Amino acid sequence: MLKGKVAVITGGTRGIGFSTAEMFLKNGAKVAVLGSRKETVDAALEKLKAADPSYEVIGMYPDLSDYGAVEKAFAQVKDAFGKIDILINNAGISAREPIEAYDPDAFKKIMDLNVTAVFNGCKAAVPYLKEAGGGSIINTSSMVSLNGQPSGVGYPASKFAVNGLTKSLARELGKYNIRVNAVAPGVTRTDMVAALPEEMVARVSAPIPLGRVGEPEEVASCFLFLASDMASYVSGTILSVDGANIV
Ligand code: NAD
């Protein structure tokens, strides 16, 4: 589905981002995985290459909240693969403190990665996507971007902002054949969920209409659809991938 395409995936070293990198490579894309540290990026590249040595994948670890660093990383992707067609803004962090205990620095940290880094990625990618004749940007939102959450206000606030960036840039960039969408996962079995005792996962799963948490691959397949020509007329959409979970 992505033969000949070049994709940049932030937060691609584990969880949803890693599954997306794997699925994009399987579907013929060349992939640049961006993570936070050399060791985790190297480990992810090793794992992907072990799955198939013919995969064309590179890795970097720029500070995503620093526009200059992101710009430099994207120039390296262009040098390595000749172009950029797809950007997946996926790196993200969360926190659950109530407002009175919420450290203002922690709020800023969440905004730096979940919002500013998404802006930086979009801004740095646009010249390349225009040069390629169009492209696809997909941001990672969350189910909490619909109704918020009762504690940890920074995280839902950041994901509301991601939706705003997505819808606005879809309207701004459509004229360049650049589609901008977001995927809004529900509870997904990444490292954090996998580390929970099974009975706790069962408790979390109980109110979910589909009766279980999602798997990273089930989110990755939505990224794949939105990145591919199958979604050629889809832009400005926030695609829920949450088993109909209403929180
Ligand atoms: P994860 O913690 O398993 O992986 C996060 C990724 O982001 C890692 O690759 C990590 O290296 C990267 N990252 C973290 N800080 C970074 C930084 N400062 N610079 C660069 N990269 C950094 O997370 P996940 O659960 O796979 O989440 C991925 C995205 O999905 C996030 O945006 C998250 O908010 C969103 N999401 C996850 C869930 C869930 O239940 N797992 C639900 C809704 C939304």
Side-chain angles (χ1 to χ4, degrees):
M1 283 169 76
L2 299 180
K3 202 166 167 37
K5 302 286 187 194
V6 175
V8 176
I9 304 176
T10 75
T13 60
R14 59 170 197 261
I16 292 168
F18 182 83
S19 283
T20 305
E22 211 169 17
M23 201 172 280
F24 278 24
L25 287 162
K26 247 185 224 163
N27 278 272
K30 297 176 186 176
V31 172
V33 166
L34 272 50
S36 52
R37 288 183 296 122
K38 182 178 186 320
E39 306 82 77
T40 50
V41 169
D42 286 348
L45 294 183
E46 200 175 308
K47 217 163 137 193
L48 291 166
K49 283 279 192 187
D52 186 338
S54 73
Y55 283 162
E56 293 192 66
V57 56
I58 57 172
M60 275 156 258
Y61 39 96
D63 176 356
L64 296 173
S65 64
D66 172 353
Y67 179 69
V70 173
E71 207 178 23
K72 212 164 126 192
F74 284 27
Q76 283 173 268
V77 178
K78 158 96 176 173
D79 281 349
F81 292 146
K83 61 173 182 161
I84 299 174
D85 304 288
I86 299 160
L87 168 65
I88 308 293
N89 281 309
N90 167 75
I93 47 171
S94 68
R96 296 199 68 94
E97 286 78 14
I99 185 79
E100 286 164 287
Y102 214 119
D103 178 354
D105 287 340
F107 185 84
K108 186 179 177 308
K109 209 170 150 202
I110 286 213
M111 292 300 154
D112 282 350
L113 184 65
N114 294 13
V115 183
T116 306
V118 174
F119 166 83
N120 289 343
C122 293
K123 181 172 162 61
V126 165
Y128 297 108
L129 302 185
K130 280 169 81 173
E131 195 179 296
S136 174
I137 297 174
I138 311 165
N139 301 320
T140 310
S141 183
S142 165
M143 67 177 174
V144 303
S145 73
L146 301 176
N147 297 306
Q149 66 184 25
S151 190
V153 70
Y155 183 69
S158 73
K159 296 301 187 179
F160 273 78
V162 166
N163 293 359
L165 278 161
T166 302
K167 286 188 172 285
S168 301
L169 288 176
R171 297 181 68 179
E172 181 176 334
L173 300 174
K175 57 180 174 288
Y176 305 117
N177 192 30
I178 298 173
R179 297 182 295 105
V180 188
N181 292 289
V183 166
V187 186
T188 310
R189 197 189 296 274
T190 53
D191 290 355
M192 207 173 68
V193 175
L196 298 174
E198 252 332 294
E199 63 268 22
M200 200 178 285
V201 178
R203 205 166 344 119
V204 170
S205 303
I208 301 174
L210 282 183
R212 61 178 178 83
V213 301
E215 300 299 328
E217 296 75 17
E218 294 177 302
V219 182
S221 61
C222 294
F223 281 117
L224 174 62
F225 163 67
L226 289 171
S228 78
D229 290 341
M230 299 274 285
S232 52
Y233 200 55
V234 182
S235 193
T237 284
I238 316 295
L239 177 58
S240 292
V241 189
D242 58 10
N245 198 7
I246 309 292
V247 290

